[in-house]
Amino acid sequence: MLAGCATPMPRRDDPYEKFNRKMYAFNDFADQVAIRPVAVGYRKVTNDTSRRLISNFFANVKSPITIVNDVLQWQPKYAFTQTSRLVINTTVGVLGLFDPASEMGIDAHTTDFGVTLAKWGVPEGPYLVLPLFGPTTGRDLPAIAVDQYFLDPVAWYGASHDFKWHAEYLPQVAYLVTLRSSAIDAEGLLQGVYDPYVFYRDAYRQRRLYKIYNGNPPMEAIQALQGDENLDVDKLLEEQQQYEKKSKQP
């Protein structure tokens, strides 16, 4: 988080930073003029309860992604747990709108083929920002295609139907709107951030690291994530403090 709030430093893992920053600026513009307004409108016409039910539904529908990847990662316990959640929430939970599995103490867990590749020893590769899609890495990019085209029932529905005006893609659009809507509450994290691009980059990579190590990454992995094992934390804090003082000036 410190690296995300300080002046960008030379990185071994961001060789395409110039390109990535342009794509980040484009995505930010697209979000502000089109994507975010739709998400805000969605929140205005729904309440917390309805949004939770819709989120529950999509989480349940997309659970095969986690189940298959748990099997590929040789995590039979997690695979069994997620399969149990799918069965219980689809039946007792009325197609996943409700989450009785959590009330029964069967906790949710998510993973994907990018994590699977990491556990198989595939290196992370360079950090990339794609237009409209957002952050990914050389390892996660092909993994996204595997999850979307082979394991995601929502994508299957769109690919197997052909409605007027491409209405078959409405479930996928609804999922993306729901996803963007859930991020609005976290927008305050960017207030006072020195460089939002660095913040997003490091936040994405930290999240991926914690997924790969089931929430407990080793210290050497955390140090490697920073791109420099000799990172000067005091200098980063000083730069952040200087930026905050400057931003408060009229």
Side-chain angles (χ1 to χ4, degrees):
M1 295 296 289
L2 290 174
C5 299
T7 302
M9 301 181 67
R11 307 277 301 209
R12 295 194 300 266
D13 50 42
D14 195 1
Y16 305 116
E17 182 173 350
K18 185 176 181 180
F19 168 83
N20 287 338
R21 284 185 177 274
K22 291 180 179 179
M23 290 301 99
Y24 171 82
F26 171 79
N27 289 342
D28 184 60
F29 173 78
D31 180 70
Q32 294 302 316
V33 301
I35 302 172
R36 187 180 187 278
V38 173
V40 171
Y42 167 75
R43 289 173 70 97
K44 288 182 178 180
V45 299
T46 58
N47 55 33
D48 291 340
T49 300
S50 60
R51 287 195 296 272
R52 184 173 64 253
L53 294 178
I54 294 171
S55 296
N56 287 345
F57 171 79
F58 281 117
N60 188 66
V61 168
K62 287 178 171 284
S63 58
I65 298 174
T66 293
I67 294 170
V68 173
N69 279 293
D70 279 334
V71 172
L72 294 175
Q73 295 167 25
W74 194 239
Q75 299 282 352
K77 179 180 178 181
Y78 283 141
F80 176 78
T81 297
Q82 290 308 116
T83 302
S84 300
R85 285 183 55 84
L86 175 61
V87 173
I88 294 171
N89 287 348
T90 301
T91 54
V92 183
V94 190
L95 299 179
L97 291 174
F98 301 95
D99 187 12
S102 292
E103 298 178 4
M104 297 169 62
I106 307 176
D107 296 330
H109 159 77
T110 60
T111 190
D112 53 64
F113 195 62
V115 176
T116 298
L117 291 179
K119 293 192 175 185
W120 287 356
V122 177
E124 181 185 42
Y127 175 76
L128 298 168
V129 180
L130 304 181
L132 297 181
F133 181 84
T136 185
T137 63
R139 178 177 60 210
D140 288 342
L141 184 57
I144 292 168
V146 172
D147 288 334
Q148 289 293 318
Y149 289 102
F150 296 101
L151 305 178
D152 185 0
V154 177
W156 296 347
Y157 181 85
S160 60
H161 292 78
D162 185 14
F163 298 139
K164 188 176 181 180
W165 297 321
H166 299 293
E168 65 272 15
Y169 295 109
L170 284 178
Q172 187 75 347
V173 172
Y175 168 71
L176 294 176
V177 171
T178 301
L179 200 63
R180 180 60 183 91
S181 170
S182 65
I184 290 178
D185 293 331
E187 290 179 346
L189 292 174
L190 286 176
Q191 295 180 359
V193 169
Y194 185 83
D195 189 336
Y197 167 78
V198 173
F199 179 89
Y200 273 112
R201 179 188 65 191
D202 290 354
Y204 173 82
R205 299 186 68 240
Q206 287 171 13
R207 180 175 179 272
R208 299 302 293 168
L209 184 69
Y210 274 75
K211 273 187 168 292
I212 292 167
Y213 288 98
N214 297 321
N216 189 30
M219 181 56 65
E220 56 268 22
I222 297 175
Q223 291 175 333
L225 179 68
Q226 300 300 332
D228 185 353
E229 295 182 1
N230 299 314
L231 193 66
D232 191 339
V233 176
D234 291 335
K235 182 179 179 180
L236 295 180
L237 286 172
E238 182 180 351
E239 291 174 348
Q240 175 65 15
Q241 291 169 356
Q242 291 175 355
Y243 169 75
E244 291 176 351
K245 291 179 180 178
K246 183 178 179 180
S247 63
K248 293 178 180 179
Q249 295 177 355

